[in-house]
Amino acid sequence: MCGIVGIYNVPEASKITALGIHGLQHRGQEGAGIISYDKEFHSQNAYGLVDHIFSKDRIIENLPGDKAIGHVRYSTTGSTGAATIFYNLDFGGFALAHNGDFTDAEYWRNKLKKEGAIFQTNTDTEIIPHLLARTKGTSPVNRLLEVLNKVNGAFCIVALLDNKLVVARDGNGFRPLVIGRYKEGYIVASESCTLDLIGATEIKDVEPGEVMIFSNGTKETYHLDKKVKKHFCIFEYIYFSRPDSVIDNQLVYDVRKRIGEELAKETYIDSDMVVPVPDSGSVAALGYANQSNIPFELGLTRNHYIGRTFIEPTQQIRNLGVKLKHSAMRLFKDKVVTIIDDSIVRGTTAKKIINLIRNAGAKEIHMRISSPPISGPCWYGIDTPNRQELIAGASSVEEIKEFIGADSLKYLSVEGLHRAVQGKGYCDACFTGQYPVNKRSN
Ligand code: SF4
């Protein structure tokens, strides 16, 4: 996942960046970083939540300047590494934050290592400065454009080349990226919820393949050479993005509710109540309840002071997390319950939730999932496990139903999902196996 912010020409840019990445905390909780620029670069990266890292005044005071980039990190390759990276190159300083995964990361990494490059992390991000160092060109910006034309896959990038801010989104537009005006300057962020929080105006999407260069108080726009079709991640609407964000002129909350309505049309079963798994199933459950005319109940309580199980990297923490995370209200006794969640990844959370409701006295539990079964990994920046670890990669719906202990289990169809999301130009590869960009290792 990951979330990024870039600020150009705004006083106390690091303060605004800290606020901005705080608004993107749902996209990554492993670590966060900010790099600012006045006449030189200043950097702070650490593990933990934004609030913990950047709440102290002296940390922000050490990040002066009216330009800054920020990042919340969620390790997508099982790796750990700095959220924002900085390199001194032949032309000057280069600071970078990146959201997404390159599909040719392995190829570039092997090639660069053979040429003598020394990597400090195993993040995809570090490929960019190494390629930039080796690329000749008329200006640093042209060299960066050349590099961005070489790499493939998913990337949203904010970079500082000394006093310039560069913003880029890959041609498929896998991940969201928005831009707005703020005071005399600009702010760029992964989601519009951050721009709303800060009070930016004139908010719009950065288009797939668009590159913006902010320099000397002006903005220039370029386009990447490769002409590819848009493939925005449909999962951003199902789960990843915050419901108050607007993507492609659609409020995520509205889309998520339509997904729930579609789920009810396809998988209706009579029950006493519709209950979401909080918070992942909440909006879809509202849509399901409205469509089916079944009472909506917040029957499960979630402890908000621990991280999301999907985000935490190890199985051990995930198992512990589910126990600490949810508790059942005393309203399930002898009831027939429809429980809604957005997805089933490994099945461990669903199994524990159903056990919880069963122990609270429910007569029947019917699980409905507001996405199709996730049967393959994501190659474009989401840390879904590999096929063997994905329960729907190896098991039938009936087998999953048995494993989680539900009386029935039904998923939304791929067609139903597209009907609800509306429009065209989506990636749905983790459901369909139709990957728009292939991996390259040599
Ligand atoms: S594979 Fe799935 S999670 Fe990855 S970009 Fe495509 S739809 Fe999104």
Side-chain angles (χ1 to χ4, degrees), residues 159-187:
L160 290 169
L161 288 96
D162 287 330
N163 61 355
K164 298 181 178 64
L165 174 72
V166 179
V167 172
R169 189 177 180 205
D170 71 79
N172 288 279
F174 283 107
R175 300 280 142 237
L177 193 64
V178 286
I179 180 169
R181 294 296 314 239
Y182 183 66
K183 296 186 173 169
E184 301 303 309
Y186 293 89
I187 169 165

Side-chain angles (χ1 to χ4, degrees), residues 212-373:
M212 294 173 183
I213 320 283
F214 300 87
S215 174
N216 296 323
T218 63
K219 173 169 78 90
E220 286 177 55
T221 302
Y222 298 82
H223 288 274
L224 295 174
D225 293 345
K226 257 177 259 138
K227 295 280 169 273
V228 287
K229 275 196 194 151
K230 184 176 168 194
H231 284 100
F232 179 67
C233 171
I234 207 162
F235 225 137
E236 291 276 354
Y237 282 120
I238 298 168
Y239 172 71
F240 301 129
S241 291
R242 246 173 57 166
D244 53 338
S245 284
V246 175
I247 303 171
D248 265 347
N249 298 316
Q250 298 204 84
L251 181 66
V252 173
Y253 176 83
D254 288 342
V255 178
R256 219 163 268 176
K257 231 163 79 175
R258 287 205 302 269
I259 290 173
E261 287 162 12
E262 202 60 46
L263 182 67
K265 285 179 201 162
E266 288 190 352
T267 72
Y268 173 84
I269 186 159
D270 194 17
S271 64
D272 296 314
M273 60 180 83
V274 172
V275 175
V277 173
D279 299 320
S280 49
S282 299
V283 183
L286 198 56
Y288 188 105
N290 287 348
Q291 178 67 34
S292 58
N293 277 323
I294 299 173
F296 174 86
E297 297 284 3
L298 292 169
L300 294 166
T301 304
R302 179 179 164 218
N303 181 342
H304 283 90
Y305 301 98
I306 55 169
R308 296 198 297 187
T309 51
F310 195 67
I311 279 180
E312 289 152 356
T314 68
Q315 188 67 38
Q316 198 187 359
I317 297 172
R318 248 189 307 272
N319 285 338
L320 180 67
V322 173
K323 274 190 229 155
L324 294 171
K325 221 161 135 177
H326 295 107
S327 55
M329 298 267 189
R330 296 184 186 189
L331 45 77
F332 290 121
K333 187 133 184 54
D334 299 327
K335 298 286 192 239
V336 177
V337 181
T338 298
I339 177 111
I340 312 280
D341 206 354
D342 66 309
S343 57
I344 298 180
V345 180
R346 293 176 176 83
T348 44
T349 302
K351 189 180 175 77
K352 287 184 183 184
I353 296 255
I354 284 171
N355 202 22
L356 202 67
I357 300 172
R358 191 81 72 196
N359 287 340
K363 194 161 69 180
E364 285 174 34
I365 306 169
H366 302 281
M367 184 135 210
R368 298 292 180 265
I369 302 297
S370 64
S371 66

